[in-house]
Amino acid sequence: MKPVIWLILRRAGFGFLTIIVISLIIFIGVELLPGDVAEAVLGQNATQETVEAFRKALKLELPPHVRYWVWLTDFVQGDFGRSLANGREVSGLIGWRFANTLFLALTTAAIAIPLSVMLGMMAAFYRNTLFDKVISITTLSFISFPEFFIAYILITLFSVQFNIFPSMANINESMTLVAKLHAVLLPALTLTCVVTAHMMRQTRAAIINVLASAYIEMAELKGIRRLRIIMRHAFPNSLSPVINVVALNLAYLIVGVVIVEVVFVYPGLGQLLVDSVSKRDIPVVQASGLIFAGAYISLNMMADILSMLANPRLRQSQTS
Amino acid sequence: MKSENLLQIRNLFIEGFYENQWNTIVDDISLDLKRGEVLGLIGESGAGKSTIGLAAMGYTRQGCRLASGSIKLDGMELFGASEEQLRSIRGEKIAYVAQSAAASFNPSHRIIHQYAEGPVQHGIMDYEQARKNAVKIYDRLFLPDPEKIGLKYPHELSGGQLQRAMVAMSMSCEPDIIVFDEPTTALDVTTQIEVLASVKEITEKMNKAALYITHDLAVVAQVAHRIMVLRNGGLVEEGETRRLIKKPKEKYTRDLLSVRTLSEDKNDEDKTDVILKVKDVYATYNGVDNVLEDINLTVRQGRTVALVGESGSGKSTLARVITGMLPATRGEISFLGQPLSPDLKHRDKNNLRRLQMIYQMPDTALNPKQTVRTVIGRPLDFYFGTRGKEAEKRIRDLLTRIELEPAKYIDRLTPELSGGEKQRICIARALAAEPDFIICDEVTSALDQLVAEGILALLQDLQREMNISYLFITHDLATVKAIADKIVIMLEGRIIEQGEKTEVLTPPHHAYTDKLLASVPVMDPDWLDNLLDKRASTFLS
Amino acid sequence: MNLLIKSPLSARIGLCIVLFNIIVAIFAPLIAPYSETEVVGDVWEQMSGNSLLGTDHLGRDLMSRLIFGARNTIALAFITTMLSFLSGTTLGFVAAVKGGWIDNLFSRIIDIIMAFPTLIFALMILSVMGSSVMILIVTIAMLDSTRVYRLARAVAMDIEVMDFVEVARLRGEGLWWIMRREILPNAMPSLVAEFGLRFCFVFLFIASLSFLGLGLQPPLADWGGMVRENAGAITFGIFIPLIPAAAIAFLTVGVNLIVDWFLHLASGMHN
Amino acid sequence: MTDRTRLEDLLKKNKISRRQFIAQTSALGLAAAVSPGLFAGTARASVPKKGGRFIIGCTGGSTTDSMDPASLTSNMNQNLNWQIRNNLIEIDHDFNPIPELAESWDSTPDAKKWSFKLRKGVEFHNGKTMTAEDVIFSINHHIGEESKSGAKGYLKNIESIKADGKYGVVFELSGGTADFPFIMGDYHLTICPSGTKGQEWEKGVGTGGYILKNWEPGVRAFTVRNPNYWKAGRAHFDEIETLSIVDTNARTNALKTDQINYMDRVELKTVHLMKRMPGINVTATTGTAHYTIPMLVNQTPYNDNNVRMALKLAVDREELLKQVLRGYGELGNDHPIAPVNRYYAKNLDQRRYDPDKAKFYMKKAGALDHTFNLHAADAAFPGAVDAAILMKEQAKKSGIDINVVREPDDGYWSNVWMKKEWCMCYWGGRPTADMMFSVAYADGAPWNDTKWSHKRFNELLIAARAELDTDKRRKMYGEMQEICRNDSGTIMPMYNQMVEASSDKLDHGPISGHMALDGMRNGERWWFK
């Protein structure tokens, strides 16, 4: 077998194994959550009688391992079960929300990744100049603000003051793509502020690291233009750390945006998960937990595989 | 009409920024280089030779600056020239060949693209033209499969091939001058020949001017017409090659030229005890491929066994097997007559103490966050429980023994020491354990020639005094000749020849040993030409 | 000390900022004009002689709360970060030095923990265990230590291949000596740099938690919480919440200036 | 605007005939009070107009919400419930029961048997005609072993529900209940087609003014006007979009930027700023809602009434009202009966902040060195944590040490309320004194969150429930309020007003204090100017 393919398969296998282990942990962990579904769902309305009735209706008295097995086999077949709280199909609850989450994540990524990679390259190009320092301090200040605060500031500016973008991003399926993009621009900008600093700093560091290499000096001594050196010689070799940091931030965009969802009334998966945790809606928590974990793991896996492919040493190893 | 001097440097001063101030690192250097002439720059590290070579291209490394003087390249003053002007001459008029081709080729681009980048970017020719030229020059430099080799990535070529590909790349814009910055230092002796041949091909047959920078007089003698000896940024002596080798004016030059003869031959081999016996040892890294096969050797008390081989021959691996870092998969190692557990973890403290090791890179062998006191004091404490005043005294004794003044060095952090001093501290650390046997893994190859000789002398002294045995791993045959009692030659994980020094070094020897010995440059300007002539039929075709 | 003299201007500025904050935190009761909880005026009063920076959403003096907030924020973030570093570094070093199955086991466990969304993980733990300061610290420290582990392991791997570690192994040194005396001092610059970043993340994380109704116990002031409590004002053009936000930003930038310097030192070691 | 004026209005515009008018007013029991000169045709200023899309931003929506009337927990689905469904009776803005799906009702003198006459010809959205069968099904949905309804408690004393012909329903009760019609106005007890089960609830088929088109729990609901709505003069909007907006600032911003027309729970800290905004009306309605701070009286030291009295006296209600509610509320007097209730005891002294007396009682109880843990989370009510902190400061003056323990919002009602010895709590209130007392103060009531039990109080409760004579009831409820004030384990510092904001393009009649969002019926009561 060709080594690089073998490596990729091995990596993928590892990812798959991790997901299986995680599914078990999620199941056990969620089962162990103290507090009762019935009480949590009924809230202040829970009385002895109503709680008992609720428990019975949901067959909570079945042993856990039986429920795990049923859950896992159903999950593989795409049947995520029904919400305990309102009896809806979990897949129906999660499906379009996950699509929304991805939509927001991708919109953000489309702005943030080119922006931060470009800024990172420029900062590396003009390193230790005023420009570099200004970018560095600005991006740093952005990550120093809590994200809800950035969101409020953006809303105050762009919706309340100038009324360019809506303060709510409650997109729905009847909207056109352009309308959706218009609606999610503010949340996407907020998230951009949050992730750009990290990606930009990493890109800058990676490129500067590479700039110390002998082959960069060689390129300079060949009389190559500085911009070309950064783009052609430094950047391809700093891809691996950049890919990794991008993957990490993409994962964050998918799994970590609860607050932005709340502030912008965005119907994403995060809000669903938070609600379900507080209501102990076990099937929803398990399914969305697993989807989040899966997203994280596959992104990391993709980053690793891309890094392998970006490295000619690994890519070409089948020929030598 | 071009001026006669392609390169003319006058009263050059270069400064480097360290210890919070600008210090002179190149001190009033002037040189001339004519078309077709090769000028050798020789000196130990810190002599400023690379800095001068780069300055000839109007380039300084980070933290350095051209302070004053004049650099004229083909009539054009580089001093104070704009970045754009400098860029336009680099590669096109003057090209550079770096010490490590492996590091100087961009790992993510194909060789041919890196070759063509210069001419295409300078607007000299298009890619197709450059590719055709490349094939020609690859062929000329005896690279295998010149049509296709360019399509490979740097990591797919061997060190010698890569270095020749870099020599070829320097020719891509057909510059007037090439700066060779230690192009063979990182190579094994056998591959060094190939590269030297390429250099010679370029300079002589293609009539290019060159600056050849090296620390090895024997090497530079083969290619240079004239030699400048540098020390601490200043000029020691300059002269025509043959003259300089025959009649060096300065003592420093004479020291560099002096041949090492350190040890008297000891042919009473059988009379001392066997310290270490390695029997039928095999080892592997991945569980499948053996990196060591069928290794047998013995080391006797108070003797030095030199383990010789090119990089990748398995000599350092053998050291790891003996120390137990890499447990042998088969075979047996016995130490002082007792079988030694293959795995380090199962060896007792006493055995660990009696078997010490000294490394090639003193920089990485010393923890940069520890003082000399800690470095030497720790084995005392660890093995003997010696602490406090007693330890202090012992440390001072050891420092004295390795010829470093205790008061001056004992509280220094290791990065504050020079390379030679560091290696001495490493020796002291090994001595602190009062060992019977020390593995010396290329202990001198990272050091300058004169410093290295000091270290070798020290090791010899210690052996005489304390009757210590050495397993001396090296690729440098000169060192072997200087100190070994017994020689073991390795190739591809096997021992191909071993025996008493005189026995091994006297013909007839094994074919590989022969090649190895023949490849070591001799201080004779005609050596390379003779060798190449001799080999012409086999090697260069 | 020697290091300090050689430090660049930016690092010195950073150091001044951090020192300033620490001094304010330590001497908070002496500096603050009012107590942490005292109501001194109406809600969101403008800056005046009575309250230098104005009042918060309950009419408490913002300046006093900011000063006490420095104390709580810095102490909490410091303790949490320390804890996460102790556990993360120890495990990371052990994994790097021991290698083999121990490394694999640790790394996989950490991978799994990291695969869960941090905020939600914290939410679950805190909602189950209650959000006392202790649990808050332990939870965040645990989540944070996964990232510390990764860094510590990576850095230790780089150091572990150095000959001086091999020398120590050959000498027969135990795990503790190798970790503490050989690896730790050399990993310090990278770890300190990461410490700064983690330190800043902790109080941002607490702010996020308090947005979701968990976080520090009131009436204790913490900067993130103060931003949260007053955030509603910003849309009406009242800039009170900008002040604690600025305090966070100020300290973060200060810490990061030092971090950059240490990163520089860390990279210097490899060259 | 009352139903009467609304009917008068319609008459004037010839939308209904004189005969219809008389029929309707008599059904309302209002015939006697018809405005003089109405039939002469007096002009009125604001006239409901049809049309427009009404967008509501609601708190409390959760992805776990359901449209099963048995489990309506959030403002969002309670409001949606009354957009699409009706009850037997409606509780109007004056807290009177008025006919809705029931045209009229009647009871035996002991108030044990109640008969309701249903309106004829009302159709569900699916075309089915509403009959007694549907009513019986809908009420029974909340009764019985399997029921998980929040209304289960009120309906405990129903012994049987029987149809009396196609359009009559008779309830037989185990004990006299004078306020039974009010119970039928509870938001859970909306009438749905018989046989609805499982996911069919989510389709939201009802008899209401709007038809549910799209419903995503915790996100949005979308309804359009029911073209053949039986109730005249209601449901003016073409369509209603109900959005769940949990974050207060997000709601505020959405209203400011005209993305929604109506929001509940205005942040009190910013009301004064909101009022200044052009195009926004802020309404503050006092209802039955109030905050309580219950202590478990079966635990020491709260079992000592001196401690309870001391804590009641150590609270500066004025300051709480000012700081936490920003004045949007009324002082509470340690009992749960609201001033809007007709049995509210006006003669009771208002309890005031008295640190000295508090100290006196606490000393008497010997508990001055006790640390009182007060558990709080904003889940109890917005500002609960702030209120607890203020209380801590206030109690200091009496030498009482209160330690505020902040609890997570998540799980507050299941883990803290009724479990921790002293915590913050919120009650939406009940339209009648009987319901309020029964639900949280009667001995053994499931939500008796103080475990308080007072013999005299419990006797009075039973007696008053069956008493049809208003004056006698007034006396009984008065005494109960006094007992509650002086003995119960609850500190009731204040009634909160429901402060909501809406676009000034909207118009409406008088606002009900019964529940938030105009008694949860702004969808059918409001209109665009």
Side-chain angles (χ1 to χ4, degrees), chain C residues 59-216:
Chain C
R60 295 171 293 193
D61 180 43
L62 196 75
M63 169 118 159
S64 306
R65 284 185 67 74
L66 206 59
I67 291 168
F68 278 100
R71 186 175 240 207
N72 300 328
T73 308
I74 294 173
L76 191 75
F78 185 77
I79 295 171
T80 309
T81 320
M82 271 315 260
L83 203 63
S84 70
F85 267 74
L86 272 180
S87 52
T89 327
T90 311
L91 291 179
F93 282 4
V94 169
V97 174
K98 284 278 171 190
W101 66 269
I102 291 182
D103 180 20
N104 259 318
L105 181 76
F106 283 6
S107 299
R108 290 295 86 72
I109 290 175
I110 296 289
D111 271 357
I112 288 168
I113 295 178
M114 286 180 91
F116 290 100
T118 334
L119 198 59
I120 298 201
F121 206 83
L123 204 67
M124 277 166 98
I125 295 175
L126 291 175
S127 76
V128 167
M129 317 275 288
S131 64
S132 74
V133 176
M134 264 308 290
I135 292 172
L136 193 70
I137 288 177
V138 171
T139 305
I140 302 176
M142 188 195 81
L143 291 170
D144 241 18
S145 63
T146 55
R147 279 148 225 277
V148 178
Y149 167 88
R150 283 206 158 178
L151 176 87
R153 180 176 167 277
V155 174
M157 291 283 230
D158 281 351
I159 299 166
E160 201 262 339
V161 298
M162 299 277 206
D163 291 334
F164 60 81
V165 179
E166 191 173 309
V167 169
R169 279 176 201 269
L170 286 182
R171 196 188 301 139
E173 297 283 4
L175 181 66
W176 179 242
W177 171 277
I178 292 180
M179 276 167 50
R180 218 187 87 59
R181 302 299 299 272
E182 307 289 349
I183 293 181
L184 183 64
N186 293 297
M188 242 7 208
S190 306
L191 290 177
V192 168
E194 183 71 7
F195 189 93
L197 290 175
R198 291 280 129 221
F199 179 80
C200 299
F201 279 131
V202 168
F203 46 78
L204 289 179
F205 193 70
I206 294 173
S208 297
L209 281 176
S210 66
F211 185 88
L212 296 172
L214 302 156
L216 209 60

Side-chain angles (χ1 to χ4, degrees), chain C residues 37 127 214 216-218 232 235, chain D residues 249 253 256 385 393 406 408 410:
Chain C
T37 54
S127 76
L214 302 156
L216 209 60
Q217 291 280 352
T235 54
Chain D
N249 293 312
N253 287 323
K256 275 197 276 192
V385 177
E393 293 293 306
R406 183 173 176 182
D410 176 28

Side-chain angles (χ1 to χ4, degrees), chain A residues 35 39-50 53-54 56-58 82-89 92-93 96-97 152 155 159-160 163 165-174 262-265 267 271-272 275-281, chain D residues 61-67 70-73 144-150 152-153 156 187-188 199 202 214-220 241 243-247 249-250 253-254 256-257 259-260 277 410-411 413-415 417 419 425-427 446-447:
Chain A
E39 282 187 27
V41 170
L42 293 172
Q44 204 188 8
N45 293 340
T47 65
Q48 193 74 32
E49 289 168 298
T50 54
F54 197 88
K56 248 187 172 168
L58 296 167
R82 282 177 181 277
S83 156
L84 293 187
N86 56 15
R88 293 188 167 220
E89 291 268 359
L93 283 174
W96 64 281
R97 282 190 175 82
Y152 287 147
I155 290 176
S159 332
V160 179
N163 213 352
F165 299 110
S167 70
M168 283 198 302
N170 57 335
I171 59 170
N172 59 57
E173 67 279 19
S174 61
V262 171
V263 173
F264 288 100
V265 201
Q271 185 61 52
L272 177 73
D275 280 351
S276 308
V277 167
S278 60
K279 291 284 161 61
R280 310 281 183 267
D281 196 343
Chain D
S62 163
T63 50
T64 54
D65 286 347
S66 157
M67 278 315 290
S71 55
L72 300 168
T73 46
E145 285 288 295
E146 297 291 305
S147 164
K148 46 184 182 176
S149 171
K152 202 173 177 178
K156 251 200 309 206
Y187 64 88
H188 292 94
Q199 283 297 295
E202 307 303 312
N214 180 306
W215 154 239
E216 198 51 63
V219 181
R220 82 194 265 267
E241 193 174 355
L243 300 171
S244 163
I245 308 179
V246 178
D247 185 50
N249 293 312
N253 287 323
K256 275 197 276 192
T257 54
Q259 294 178 82
I260 59 174
M277 311 252 343
D410 176 28
W413 297 114
S414 46
N415 305 329
W417 182 63
K419 299 231 163 67
C425 176
Y426 163 85
W427 282 94
W447 287 348

Side-chain angles (χ1 to χ4, degrees), chain D residues 431-486:
Chain D
T432 69
D434 181 51
M435 285 168 89
M436 189 63 237
F437 280 138
S438 306
V439 78
Y441 295 82
D443 181 36
W447 287 348
N448 183 338
D449 53 13
T450 59
K451 305 278 186 278
W452 179 65
S453 172
H454 191 278
K455 194 158 165 278
R456 172 71 183 152
F457 180 88
N458 288 318
E459 285 164 9
L460 282 169
L461 182 63
I462 307 287
R465 186 178 291 155
E467 181 57 66
L468 291 173
D469 183 298
T470 314
D471 287 339
K472 281 186 191 159
R473 283 185 98 189
R474 183 180 306 283
K475 242 182 107 193
M476 290 176 184
Y477 284 131
E479 189 182 344
M480 289 167 77
Q481 287 172 51
E482 190 170 1
I483 296 171
C484 205
R485 173 182 186 271
N486 294 330

Side-chain angles (χ1 to χ4, degrees), chain C residues 37 132-133 217-220, chain D residues 293 302 311 362 368-377 384-385 387-396 399-407 416 420-424:
Chain C
T37 54
S132 74
V133 176
Q217 291 280 352
L220 293 182
Chain D
I293 311 168
Y302 303 101
L311 292 174
M362 199 51 96
L368 265 178
D369 54 349
H370 185 79
T371 301
F372 293 89
N373 283 328
L374 176 54
H375 300 261
V385 177
I389 292 158
L390 289 170
M391 281 173 61
K392 176 192 169 79
E393 293 293 306
Q394 294 158 3
K396 261 189 199 158
I400 299 171
D401 180 20
I402 295 178
N403 175 38
V404 178
V405 184
R406 183 173 176 182
E407 299 284 351
V416 179
K420 294 284 159 60
E421 67 275 24
W422 194 26
C423 68
M424 308 301 275

